[in-house]
Amino acid sequence: MKYLIAFWLTFFMLPIQSQNQPWKGKFEPIDNLILPPNSYRTASGAPGKAYWQQRADYNIKASIDETTNILSGEETITYYNNSPDDLSYLWIQLEQNVNKKENEDFGTINNSLKDGINTQQMQFLTRAIDFPAGYTIKYIKDSNGEPIRSLVNNTMMKVLLDAPLESGTSITFSIGWSYPITDRSMFLLSREGYEYFPEDDNTVYLIAHWFPRMAVYNDTEGWQNQQFQKLGEFALEFGNYEVEITVPADHIIASTGVLENPENVLSKKQRKRLKDAASSFDKPVMIITKEEAIENESKKSNKQKTWKYSAKNVRDFAFASSRKFMWDAQAVKLPTNTVMAMSFYPKEGLPVWQEESTTSIMHALEVYSEATFDYPYPVCISVNTSNIGMEFPMISFNGGRPKNGKMSKNAKASMIGTIIHEVGHNWFPMIVSSDERKWMWMDEGLNTFLHQRTVAERYPEFNSVTPKSIVPFMNGDKNILRPIMTTSDNELFNQFGANFYIKPTVGLQMLRNSIVGKDLFDAAFKEYANRWKYKHPNPSDLFRTLEDATATDLDWFFRGWFFTTDNVDMELANVKWFKVHEEDRNIEDQTESTQVIAEGNNTSEAPKDFSNGPKVINMTSTPDRSYGGFLSRMDDVAIRKKLSGKNLYEITIKNVGGLVMPVTIEWVFTDGSSEIDTLPAQIWRRNEYEVKEVFIKDKEVKTVNLDPNFEFADTDMSNNTFPKSETVSEFDSFKNEKAN
């Protein structure tokens, strides 16, 4: 054994590349950064055999008073405790309380004054107009009508049970409530409320997070009872809904779920048009035309109608109501389901909403279904509003309106992108139900990834996100940048879009296009979506599934891209050229040490280009002692023959930005041709800061470029080329312009 150790140490120890900077463990497992697997969530990323989640069914009756803009409601909740724990109290979400003036609201999001400020900005900042927002809880009663005690803490309400809710049992209780519907123009980041149209004295109501809703209780943190602070959105349980909504008789409602009483709320003509739309796969059918909507909004009914809806296995319920709505619908055929895509919009949305909205829904349904699973619900609705995009099961509120009937190409692209994005949220998080209040990137990032894929495939004339899109953000001030793995409300307001939407999107694009490959990645992404549909995944479940379903170690990628603020900046520090050819002698008869002759010189100075020609190297025959106990010998002559006339290039690449990535190398030859070589990220395993690689080329090289197709969001492309291009200063450019 001693002899063998000495043999390996003596003859097979390779030169060790120096690494003067500290080892950061970039390829170490991320096990210490994510939740450990257990019987609920397996090490493969799939739900375990013991996985459980709670359920909440709702029976709701609500009405809107258009004269006071007050919504009143009564609900009966049946809550199923499927956990292994007995629960002594329940937590209810009261998101409308976020609009109370004394609430902590957003605190530091927009808290500075300046010399010039408009009234809307001042309202956001100081609540100069005090609005009586928030819930009035009229009662909480058990199934026998007896009152239940409760405590309200801002946007959360604790329901105190007389006896613990035992594991495997359920409880039914009822709540009565009301609240003033907010004017959306008065509140920063208002996702719901009303929009008033002074020209015709009408209102569009967008009604969301409007009823007291059960908070999530799960295996990873117990109750998810973080306060609603507007940026971090929602964590909700699945259940069945029976909902009755009473509004003015001339209102039209767009809603989550299936309309159960169309004969009571729709005209015979409207019902006939809906039936026609159910078999119209090539274009939308107008259910309510422009002329009919204008006629409807010109007068106000004193009567009321009640619309009845049911929705199965959804995690939320929202609706919109107005007498201003036009309405169109079209059937979309998916492999396992036919969906009614529908759009509701006031005349102010014409003509682009009639032209584009329902078509955009169709494109989203088709691309997302192919990438994950078929959209399972019967309807998918887009409602036009002034300035937001907000998602709910089967329905979304989407901004984008023309001015004087016209819209620029960029504005139209933004509108279409918003519709696609909000429709896409039906998958993430409405079905693959991650915790938005904690991990915004899990729904926004995954959804934006497919939203941008939809735009790229169905609207190639529009700009879509690519790795280049994230460069300005990743090149930013490291003192304020936060990793993707930052909880939702702790991100800076001016960078949450880049960090939670675009950066995860680019990361998934790199995995799909450049690291794992489309076929493997697409199958793995679909596996994740199907494993966790109608369930509550965590980041660890996503990371593990992508590795499990691709047989690829991606811990290095998740560690760098999701847990750090490192950026990609690969520097092509040096390229050395060796041109191999033999002396003029009979190579067949050579057995002694041979010098390889190369044109040029062997100066130690690093070359700036290839103008000095290749360097000289010495290639000797392998001495017997190098073989140790092996009796076989290499064919030295054959090896010399294979290298004769070849060009050897040794390249040195430095990791300046700190984020390890694969390296794509473009070789441009003197004859004008080119080729690509790719090195895997694993080349950085033993030296995280600098690597050297040797390549053999038949042709002489003119230029070497790193990341020529900009696949990896390199933040400084000026150091990616050899010979290095001279950078002309702004002053020199100015002088040259003046001279010319």
Side-chain angles (χ1 to χ4, degrees):
M1 176 63 89
K2 288 181 179 179
Y3 169 77
L4 287 176
I5 293 174
F7 171 78
W8 287 107
L9 289 175
T10 302
F11 296 106
F12 283 91
M13 277 190 65
L14 298 174
I16 297 176
Q17 231 172 301
S18 63
Q19 178 175 310
N20 298 323
Q21 301 179 64
W23 178 69
K24 295 290 186 66
K26 296 180 187 292
F27 286 88
E28 290 302 295
I30 61 171
D31 295 0
N32 63 325
L33 300 176
I34 60 177
L35 295 171
N38 52 40
S39 59
Y40 308 129
R41 299 166 190 269
T42 69
S44 70
K49 289 183 178 179
Y51 177 82
W52 56 267
Q53 68 187 42
Q54 311 290 65
R55 175 181 158 191
D57 292 343
Y58 297 84
N59 192 308
I60 306 173
K61 295 181 179 181
S63 63
I64 293 176
D65 186 330
E66 193 175 29
T67 60
T68 62
N69 288 324
I70 288 179
L71 185 146
S72 301
E74 299 177 342
E75 67 181 344
T76 299
I77 303 174
T78 302
Y79 182 70
Y80 300 85
N81 182 14
N82 298 320
S83 79
D85 310 318
D86 296 341
L87 304 176
S88 58
Y89 51 80
L90 310 176
W91 280 105
I92 305 280
Q93 300 185 48
L94 301 178
E95 282 92 356
Q96 287 297 325
N97 284 356
V98 77
N99 292 319
K100 287 185 174 181
K101 190 169 184 178
E102 66 272 16
N103 192 275
E104 58 191 54
D105 191 13
F106 234 79
T108 59
I109 191 171
N110 187 25
N111 62 344
S112 61
L113 289 170
K114 51 188 177 181
D115 292 342
I117 188 169
N118 64 42
T119 54
Q120 185 187 55
Q121 292 169 331
M122 184 64 78
Q123 168 66 12
F124 291 163
L125 179 62
T126 67
R127 294 285 174 85
I129 302 173
D130 192 3
F131 186 85
Y135 283 107
T136 296
I137 301 297
K138 299 177 181 179
Y139 63 82
I140 307 177
K141 298 178 181 179
D142 64 19
S143 57
N144 296 318
E146 296 299 321
I148 301 176
R149 295 174 299 147
S150 66
L151 297 170
V152 174
N153 178 14
N154 292 328
T155 63
M156 301 298 300
M157 180 169 66
K158 188 176 187 180
V159 177
L160 304 170
L161 304 178
D162 290 335
L165 178 62
E166 295 180 352
S167 173
T169 65
S170 65
I171 185 173
T172 298
F173 60 100
S174 59
I175 304 175
W177 81 95
S178 66
Y179 70 89
I181 304 169
T182 54
D183 179 347
R184 291 183 43 247
S185 67
M186 292 168 52
F187 294 86
L188 187 62
L189 279 182
S190 181
R191 294 169 170 83
E192 47 71 48
Y194 69 81
E195 179 181 3
Y196 178 65
F197 292 77
E199 183 177 296
D200 51 62
D201 187 31
N202 273 299
T203 303
V204 170
Y205 293 96
L206 306 177
I207 305 301
H209 32 95
W210 52 288
F211 58 98
R213 304 179 295 181
M214 294 301 306
V216 165
Y217 184 82
N218 63 26
D219 60 283
T220 58
E221 61 182 317
W223 286 107
Q224 166 49 289
N225 54 10
Q226 290 178 235
Q227 296 292 331
F228 179 44
Q229 295 180 310
K230 286 197 173 180
L231 198 55
E233 291 179 347
F234 313 110
L236 299 163
E237 301 288 10
F238 288 96
N240 297 332
Y241 286 74
E242 298 292 333
V243 180
E244 297 183 11
I245 307 164
T246 301
V247 293
D250 49 3
H251 271 219
I252 296 295
I253 288 183
S255 176
T256 299
V258 174
L259 179 61
E260 297 291 355
N261 63 334
E263 67 283 353
N264 296 331
V265 294
L266 299 179
S267 69
K268 185 176 180 181
K269 184 185 295 184
Q270 290 165 350
R271 298 198 302 273
K272 169 65 166 58
R273 290 169 177 173
L274 268 177
K275 183 178 180 181
D276 293 341
S279 59
S280 177
F281 295 94
D282 57 343
K283 62 180 180 180
V285 172
M286 295 304 303
I287 313 302
I288 298 177
T289 67
K290 174 185 176 182
E291 293 73 23
E292 291 166 344
I294 291 174
E295 171 66 20
N296 197 41
E297 71 179 15
S298 66
K299 51 194 174 185
K300 296 184 179 179
S301 174
N302 294 320
K303 298 179 180 180
Q304 292 185 321
K305 283 184 180 178
T306 298
W307 299 59
K308 297 182 180 181
Y309 290 90
S310 64
K312 306 298 182 185
N313 206 20
V314 294
R315 65 172 233 163
D316 200 2
F317 193 103
F319 68 95
S321 181
S322 179
R323 63 176 54 85
K324 289 180 64 66
F325 284 147
M326 298 173 60
W327 177 8
D328 69 54
Q330 175 183 340
V332 180
K333 182 67 175 176
L334 301 174
T336 62
N337 191 25
T338 298
V339 184
M340 286 290 283
M342 302 193 290
S343 296
F344 294 75
Y345 41 94
K347 63 180 184 298
E348 288 78 6
L350 294 174
V352 291
W353 269 76
Q354 187 173 347
E355 296 167 349
E356 302 288 354
S357 177
T358 299
T359 300
S360 301
I361 297 172
M362 176 191 69
H363 289 315
L365 290 173
E366 291 174 345
V367 175
Y368 277 75
S369 293
E370 181 183 0
T372 55
F373 47 80
D374 282 359
Y375 182 86
Y377 297 129
V379 297
C380 188
I381 298 170
S382 170
V383 181
N384 177 236
T385 183
S386 55
N387 63 346
I388 61 167
M390 190 59 203
E391 71 280 358
F392 308 94
M394 306 185 218
I395 188 171
S396 56
F397 307 151
N398 303 310
R401 284 192 185 136
K403 294 182 179 179
N404 300 319
K406 296 182 180 179
M407 183 176 273
S408 68
K409 178 182 176 181
N410 287 341
K412 182 183 289 189
S414 177
M415 182 201 86
I416 290 172
T418 298
I419 295 170
I420 290 170
H421 182 90
E422 305 309 334
V423 168
H425 271 306
N426 278 282
W427 282 265
F428 308 99
M430 298 303 154
I431 299 175
V432 183
S433 184
S434 57
D435 181 351
E436 300 175 272
R437 192 154 296 175
K438 194 168 188 179
W439 304 116
M440 184 188 292
W441 71 266
M442 280 199 75
D443 70 292
E444 297 295 357
L446 272 62
N447 180 41
T448 303
F449 167 63
L450 289 184
H451 148 212
Q452 292 298 321
R453 178 172 161 185
T454 305
V455 171
E457 291 181 7
R458 299 300 178 95
Y459 298 91
E461 69 276 18
F462 295 157
N463 292 328
S464 57
V465 167
T466 67
K468 201 167 191 175
S469 307
I470 200 61
V471 166
F473 173 71
M474 297 192 71
N475 214 13
D477 183 357
K478 291 292 195 290
N479 291 318
I480 62 171
L481 289 183
R482 288 149 168 78
I484 293 174
M485 286 293 292
T486 297
T487 50
S488 304
D489 286 313
N490 292 329
E491 179 56 283
L492 298 178
F493 185 59
N494 63 351
Q495 64 186 36
F496 80 89
N499 204 24
F500 292 154
Y501 291 64
I502 307 304
K503 190 178 176 184
T505 293
V506 170
L508 294 173
Q509 287 176 340
M510 291 193 296
L511 288 175
R512 182 177 191 249
N513 298 327
S514 306
I515 297 173
V516 174
K518 289 184 180 180
D519 291 343
L520 268 177
F521 179 85
D522 287 352
F525 194 81
K526 182 174 285 193
E527 181 72 25
Y528 166 74
N530 281 277
R531 279 179 174 181
W532 289 98
K533 62 183 178 182
Y534 305 114
K535 296 181 176 68
H536 299 314
N538 289 321
S540 54
D541 303 315
L542 172 63
F543 297 150
R544 288 187 171 113
T545 295
L546 291 182
E547 289 190 320
D548 177 69
T550 62
T552 307
D553 178 7
L554 296 172
D555 278 21
W556 61 270
F557 181 83
F558 299 140
R559 177 183 288 274
W561 196 258
F562 287 86
F563 289 90
T564 78
T565 59
D566 290 346
N567 59 286
V568 179
D569 181 8
M570 302 297 180
E571 177 188 356
L572 184 54
N574 197 9
V575 179
K576 294 181 180 179
W577 175 25
F578 302 90
K579 186 170 177 60
V580 177
H581 68 279
E582 298 292 339
E583 290 182 345
D584 188 14
R585 67 176 74 181
N586 185 357
I587 297 179
E588 297 287 348
D589 297 332
Q590 285 186 190
T591 56
E592 73 275 14
S593 173
T594 303
Q595 184 182 43
V596 178
I597 306 298
E599 299 170 0
N601 58 68
N602 277 355
T603 61
S604 58
E605 182 181 348
K608 296 182 179 179
D609 54 35
F610 297 117
S611 60
N612 288 332
K615 288 189 174 184
V616 176
I617 60 173
N618 290 312
M619 185 173 65
T620 61
S621 296
T622 304
D624 285 345
R625 65 178 180 275
S626 296
Y627 292 100
F630 292 106
L631 299 179
S632 60
R633 295 294 182 267
M634 292 182 181
D635 188 338
D636 296 325
V637 173
I639 291 174
R640 292 190 185 99
K641 271 188 173 183
K642 287 186 177 182
L643 293 176
S644 181
K646 304 291 186 182
N647 300 282
L648 276 71
Y649 293 92
E650 178 197 82
I651 68 171
T652 301
I653 306 168
K654 292 184 177 180
N655 180 5
V656 179
L659 198 57
V660 294
M661 278 290 163
V663 178
T664 304
I665 306 159
E666 179 188 45
W667 306 88
V668 181
F669 301 108
T670 54
D671 66 359
S673 62
S674 64
E675 67 182 31
I676 298 287
D677 284 312
T678 300
L679 302 174
Q682 283 71 17
I683 61 169
W684 303 100
R685 280 184 180 275
R686 292 173 181 83
N687 189 325
E688 299 166 342
Y689 300 94
E690 180 179 305
V691 294
K692 293 183 178 181
E693 291 289 329
V694 174
F695 297 85
I696 302 172
K697 301 296 177 185
D698 292 329
K699 301 176 183 179
E700 291 185 7
V701 171
K702 178 182 178 182
T703 307
V704 187
N705 302 307
L706 298 184
D707 198 9
N709 299 318
F710 215 98
E711 298 173 79
F712 299 110
D714 196 309
T715 59
D716 182 7
M717 296 295 286
S718 68
N719 59 9
N720 285 29
T721 299
F722 186 93
K724 298 186 183 299
S725 56
E726 294 294 330
T727 303
V728 180
S729 68
E730 292 184 10
F731 178 71
D732 289 337
S733 297
F734 175 75
K735 284 199 307 181
N736 292 336
E737 288 178 7
K738 296 293 284 184
N740 294 332

